[in-house]
C-alpha cells in the first residue's frame, strides 16, 4: 500500500465520518452506500476505527457480483471483513444478493431487502474502473441504457461478458444521496477521470452520470 493511498483512505474516512455524524445529529438512522473492488479496503479499515453510533447506521453496496459471499470476488465479503469490525459490527448491513440462482431472478427480492434502508443515503461512495465504469454500469452496455433510464432501484447486469453476473443500483437510486464521493486509485485512471471531467459521453464513461452531483473526488496514483 503506497503512503499516498493510505493517506487518501484516511482523509476519505474522516470526511465520511463527519458526514455521517452531521446527519445523525438530525435523523435517527443514516445510510452509507459503499463500492467494492480493491481500492476501498484501507478506507473501510480507517472508517471502522471511527467512533460512531454504528447501531444507527445502515450499510449497503452500490453493486455486487452474483457470487457466494465466501467467494474472493464478493464485495459483501470485503465489507464484512474490513468495515464491519469492532464497534462497526453493530451497523445494519444489507447485501445485494439473495438465494436466487441469477441476478435476474433475484433482483425483485433484493429490491425488497433494500427498501427498508434509510434512503436518501447520507453518503454514496463510488469507484471507477479504467474503462470509466462505476458501480456495475459499464460503457456501451444494454444494462447502462436501462440503468440510466429506469426508476427501478436495481438492475441485473451481464456485461462485460468476461466478468461474473452482477447486480447494481440504477443511476436514479444512486443519485438519491446527500453526498457523493469518488474514491479512485491508479495512475492509469488519471487520464480517464480527466476525460470524464471534461465532458465525454456518459455512454463511453458512465462515471459522467455522477459528475453532475455535488461530489468530492479522492484520487491517488
Ligand atoms: C466492483 C466495484 C467497481 C469498482 C471499480 C474500481 O464491484 O468492482 O463496485 O465499480 O469500484 O471496478 O475498482 P478498483 O478500485 O478495484 O480499481
Amino acid at each position: 500500500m503506497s503512503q499516498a493511498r493510505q493517506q487518501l483512505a484516511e482523509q476519505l474516512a474522516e470526511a465520511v465520518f463527519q458526514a455521517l455524524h452531521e446527519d445523525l445529529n438530525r435523523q435517527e438512522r443514516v445510510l452509507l452506500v459503499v463500492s467494492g473492488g480493491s481500492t476501498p479496503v484501507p478506507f473501510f479499515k480507517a472508517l471502522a476505527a471511527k467512533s460512531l453510533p454504528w447501531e444507527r447506521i445502515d450499510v449497503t453496496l452500490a453493486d455486487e457480483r452474483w457470487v457466494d459471499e465466501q467467494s474472493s470476488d464478493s464485495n459483501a465479503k470485503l465489507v464484512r471483513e474490513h468495515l464491519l469490525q469492532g464497534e462497526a459490527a453493530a451497523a445494519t448491513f444489507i447485501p445485494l444478493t439473495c438465494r436466487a440462482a441469477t441476478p435476474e431472478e433475484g433482483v425483485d427480492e433484493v429490491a425488497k431487502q433494500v427498501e427498508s434502508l434509510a434512503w436518501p443515503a447520507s453518503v454514496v461512495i463510488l469507484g471507477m474502473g479504467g474503462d470509466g465504469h462505476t458501480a456495475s454500469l459499464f460503457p456501451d452496455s444494454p444494462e447502462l441504457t436501462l440503468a440510466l433510464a429506469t426508476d427501478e432501484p436495481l438492475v441485473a447486469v451481464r456485461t462485460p461478458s468476461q466478468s461474473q453476473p452482477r447486480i447494481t443500483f440504477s443511476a436514479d437510486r444512486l443519485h438519491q444521496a446527500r453526498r457523493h464521493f469518488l474514491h479512485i486509485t491508479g495512475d492509469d485512471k488519471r487520464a480517464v477521470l480527466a476525460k470524464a471531467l471534461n465532458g465525454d459521453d456518459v455512454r463511453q464513461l458512465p462515471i459522467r452520470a455522477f459528475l453532475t452531483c455535488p461530489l468530492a473526488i479522492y484520487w491517488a496514483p
Side-chain angles (χ1 to χ4, degrees):
M1 171 69 51
S2 73
Q3 192 180 359
R5 292 190 182 189
Q6 184 57 42
Q7 285 173 346
L8 187 77
E10 289 165 8
Q11 288 162 0
L12 177 58
E14 180 58 25
V16 171
F17 164 75
Q18 294 296 342
L20 296 175
H21 204 272
E22 182 183 317
D23 287 356
L24 284 162
N25 283 337
R26 64 175 175 213
Q27 62 195 67
E28 183 48 33
R29 295 194 70 79
V30 296
L31 171 60
L32 168 63
V33 182
V34 297
S35 284
S38 57
T39 295
V41 171
F43 159 70
F44 287 161
K45 290 177 176 174
L47 185 61
K50 300 285 186 187
S51 184
L52 281 161
W54 285 100
E55 71 283 357
R56 293 170 55 204
I57 297 175
D58 293 339
V59 178
T60 193
L61 281 154
D63 68 323
E64 180 59 288
R65 299 83 179 272
W66 204 262
V67 294
D68 184 278
E69 275 202 24
Q70 299 315 310
S71 163
S72 58
D73 289 325
S74 165
N75 287 335
K77 184 175 193 292
L78 281 178
V79 170
R80 291 191 197 278
E81 288 180 352
H82 302 295
L83 176 56
L84 303 180
Q85 295 293 323
E87 289 180 27
T92 297
F93 174 53
I94 301 293
L96 292 194
T97 50
C98 63
R99 297 172 66 85
T102 68
E104 291 83 0
E105 292 167 35
V107 67
D108 290 340
E109 183 176 336
V110 176
K112 287 192 192 89
Q113 284 173 195
V114 300
E115 274 322 298
S116 63
L117 296 172
W119 300 101
S122 183
V123 168
V124 164
I125 302 170
L126 294 171
M128 187 188 76
D131 60 357
H133 83 259
T134 190
S136 287
L137 307 177
F138 289 93
D140 254 348
S141 63
E143 296 95 345
L144 176 64
T145 305
L146 175 58
L148 290 174
T150 185
D151 55 8
E152 291 296 318
L154 290 155
V155 173
V157 176
R158 293 280 175 176
T159 308
S161 55
Q162 71 272 18
S163 82
Q164 310 89 348
R166 293 160 169 247
I167 187 169
T168 188
F169 277 113
S170 62
D172 175 68
R173 186 50 71 101
L174 288 172
H175 277 110
Q176 293 179 27
R178 287 191 188 81
R179 304 167 193 80
H180 291 80
F181 294 88
L182 297 190
H183 186 199
I184 300 170
T185 56
D187 208 33
D188 59 317
K189 298 178 186 176
R190 182 203 300 255
V192 177
L193 188 53
K195 218 172 150 194
L197 288 167
N198 292 323
D200 213 10
D201 171 21
V202 67
R203 291 206 53 76
Q204 302 309 317
L205 292 170
I207 194 76
R208 282 274 307 151
F210 300 94
L211 296 185
T212 53
C213 312
L215 88 164
I217 299 177
Y218 285 71
W219 173 85

